[in-house]
Amino acid sequence: MSLLKLSAKAQARGLAQGDFCCLELVNAHLSRIEETDDAIGAYLCLLSDAARQKAMALDALPKDEKYTSPLWGVPFALKDNICVKGVPTTCASRMLEHFVSPYDATVFKRLDHAGAILLGKTNMDEFGMGNTTATSAFQKTVNPLDPTRVPGGSSGGSAAAVAALEAPFALGSDTGGSVRQPAAFCGLVGLKPTYGAVSRYGLVAFASSLEQIGPLARTVSDCETVFSLISGRDERDATSRDLSGFSNPLDPEKGVKGMRIGLPRSFFDMPMDKVVKEGVLWAAGTFEKLGATVTEVNMPLPCHALAAYYVISSAEASSNLARFDGVRYGHRSQKARNMEELYTLSRGEGFGWEVKKRILFGSYVLSKGQKEAYYQRARALARQISEEYEKTFLKVDLLLCPVTPELPFEIKDGGTPVYEGDLFTVSANLAGIPALAMPCKKTDAGLPVGMQLMAAKGREDLLFAAARVFEGEKIYGAV
Amino acid sequence: MPLQKEELQQLAALCRISLAGEEEEKMCAQLEQLCLLAQCLSEADCGELDALADAPAVTREDVARGQKDKELLLACAPERKDGFFFVSFEEKEGAK
């Protein structure tokens, strides 16, 4: 247990100091998964043999070839929409139940080359559509902090694995909050990077203009380290780029002294749990005490952003998921008598309810007669929101707001996502800016209250700097 | 405006998605909820609607690269034959 409680970087240090070897570390995590994951349901696919083999290979290397990165020898988990060659990538959908990826995602390659060890693939909402992980076609995942509650989603399996000490860090993908919301619900640090900061090559596409792969970890430093390893230009993703801003020019001694933090008034005017509002405002007060200047700022209404998000993401999903036709890969209906039936039955049988709904809605908002009222207005609004955020970040360094309007809620039957749960997270995706979620307070019942920090494009360094200072205060009791 | 069943059937046909008859009513109602959520777009000041006109085109050079392993790609298909993806309806009753 003591090994498992170490942060990812502390595990790497333990390896370098010879306190334990890679195989011991991997075995410790696999034993933990065996003990707890029947109840948690974080993993869809476990790669025990491959993980042990890689651990033994790393242990056998000569000393001068070891410890080549800050996460060398450290195990991790991947959301099951990120491809690894020869390994199933199901997106938690019957459509891809038997799909084995023929290539590696860039993020996996980068972590693999850095010496990190993949333990397995984690559960998620089907194709990333949901915020409870309940739309998975295969299993339920529960919140390790309270098994009667949802872990959030769509990267709920990744969050649950890290929170349950079944992995020291994991990758998720964030299209409208899918890294940040489960991070907040499970008491973790989660980052949605600047659009283009991390290659999407090998990520099964849901809404290409909005999504980014991001890390979930138990400490800010781990989150930052994983981000530094997976980010950067990749010629296989034309939207990826190097971040000139990510050079950490900040003086670590300075902390948040002199930092300008904005509280978006329109966010705090929205209905939300009292305890969430109080928690985030308390965090604002703490930043102020630490030397930051906190002021209210005017921002676009989050409910307008939410509408634009659901229109754009569904429109893009209807196009991206057109490729699943039962011919080249994916589920094929055995009842089809002609090509038309092959398409319609394969897609009808393969996709779950929520995915079908989003595809239909996406086609509706793109259809003749509706496109101007929905899709074009949503695109125009997204552009306006992006411009508003750019202007705001000339006045403040960071924005501080809640991650979600509510605490992790109880698991209900049905699995229909709570669309309003994405109210505070979707703006960062529409604007393409980085946003970090972390716990700021605990309720009396031990549930985490999440706060969200947002910064200008390419300024993940500011997010990490402020988050580190907050975490360093040991207010929440970080691991 | 409520979504009519006929509209849904047309959409489903365009999306190549089969829906059972009893699912149609539930889907109509849930799509209606999404439409209601999106309706506030009509209240928002969205500015110029032609938002895609100035979107920069990010492209890479169209250069042939090393091909992926053909066998590996074919292995993903539900059916394959002689190095091709394969679709057959011969054994199904009422084949057209």
Side-chain angles (χ1 to χ4, degrees), chain A residues 69-202:
Chain A
S69 89
L71 294 177
W72 188 92
V74 176
F76 70 103
L78 277 183
K79 185 175 180 178
D80 203 22
N81 59 353
I82 298 172
C83 292
V84 176
K85 190 174 177 177
V87 171
T89 299
T90 68
C91 294
S93 178
R94 293 277 171 221
M95 180 57 89
L96 288 174
E97 190 170 5
H98 304 294
F99 175 73
V100 175
S101 176
Y103 67 99
D104 284 331
T106 297
V107 288
F108 168 70
K109 260 191 181 165
R110 288 184 176 174
L111 289 174
D112 192 47
H113 288 168
I117 302 171
L118 180 64
L119 292 170
K121 310 281 290 291
T122 56
N123 197 22
M124 55 184 282
D125 280 297
E126 186 178 1
F127 282 102
M129 297 177 195
N131 49 21
T132 58
T133 310
T135 70
S136 166
F138 302 121
Q139 66 191 35
K140 290 267 184 289
T141 300
V142 302
N143 191 323
L145 304 179
D146 178 349
T148 66
R149 294 174 191 270
V150 298
S154 65
S155 311
S158 289
V162 178
L165 308 180
E166 294 177 356
F169 75 91
L171 294 187
S173 61
D174 190 313
T175 310
S178 286
V179 164
R180 289 162 286 158
Q181 187 252 23
F185 277 12
C186 293
L188 303 172
V189 184
L191 175 75
K192 196 291 281 186
T194 304
Y195 185 75
V198 176
S199 169
R200 286 179 294 115
Y201 180 75

Side-chain angles (χ1 to χ4, degrees), chain A residues 126-383:
Chain A
E126 186 178 1
F127 282 102
M129 297 177 195
N131 49 21
T132 58
T133 310
T135 70
S136 166
F138 302 121
Q139 66 191 35
K140 290 267 184 289
T141 300
V142 302
N143 191 323
L145 304 179
D146 178 349
T148 66
R149 294 174 191 270
V150 298
S154 65
S155 311
S158 289
V162 178
L165 308 180
E166 294 177 356
F169 75 91
L171 294 187
S173 61
D174 190 313
T175 310
S178 286
V179 164
R180 289 162 286 158
Q181 187 252 23
F185 277 12
C186 293
L188 303 172
V189 184
L191 175 75
K192 196 291 281 186
T194 304
Y195 185 75
V198 176
S199 169
R200 286 179 294 115
Y201 180 75
L203 169 71
V204 179
F206 158 20
S208 312
S209 76
L210 303 170
E211 59 206 1
Q212 274 287 280
I213 294 170
L216 294 121
R218 293 194 291 268
T219 69
V220 175
S221 180
D222 281 355
C223 191
E224 184 175 11
T225 303
V226 177
F227 173 65
S228 70
L229 288 176
I230 63 172
S231 57
R233 167 85 182 145
D234 172 22
E235 64 164 18
R236 291 175 183 272
D237 175 2
T239 64
S240 69
R241 62 200 166 101
D242 282 312
L243 289 168
S244 54
F246 191 68
S247 54
N248 216 346
L250 307 165
D251 177 1
E253 298 295 314
K254 209 172 146 193
V256 293
K257 282 194 187 89
M259 240 184 224
R260 299 162 302 169
I261 298 179
L263 301 177
R265 192 175 290 121
S266 57
F267 283 51
F268 287 92
D269 286 344
M270 288 285 135
M272 70 177 91
D273 282 357
K274 194 174 162 224
V275 66
V276 171
K277 192 172 188 172
E278 283 173 358
V280 179
L281 289 175
W282 178 83
T286 304
F287 276 121
E288 208 160 26
K289 277 183 203 155
L290 292 167
T293 313
V294 179
T295 50
E296 284 194 352
V297 289
N298 288 319
M299 297 301 296
L301 283 172
C303 51
H304 288 168
L306 188 71
Y309 167 76
Y310 272 98
V311 168
I312 294 170
S313 64
S314 300
E316 291 186 20
S318 74
S319 170
N320 272 328
L321 273 63
R323 72 191 66 179
F324 299 104
D325 56 9
V327 175
R328 289 158 298 162
Y329 43 76
H331 172 76
R332 178 180 292 181
S333 173
Q334 295 306 306
K335 297 175 194 155
R337 293 166 300 171
N338 53 51
M339 275 315 285
E340 190 62 27
E341 283 187 4
L342 182 89
Y343 296 144
T344 55
L345 292 174
S346 297
R347 287 164 67 77
E349 293 167 9
F351 290 135
W353 181 261
E354 186 63 29
V355 176
K356 287 184 209 172
K357 194 201 305 178
R358 305 271 187 114
I359 292 173
L360 290 165
F361 182 61
S363 298
Y364 179 70
V365 299
L366 287 172
S367 65
K368 196 179 171 191
Q370 307 299 336
K371 192 177 169 185
E372 193 168 304
Y374 291 105
Y375 184 71
Q376 286 188 336
R377 288 191 76 82
R379 293 291 312 190
L381 188 63
R383 185 179 55 176

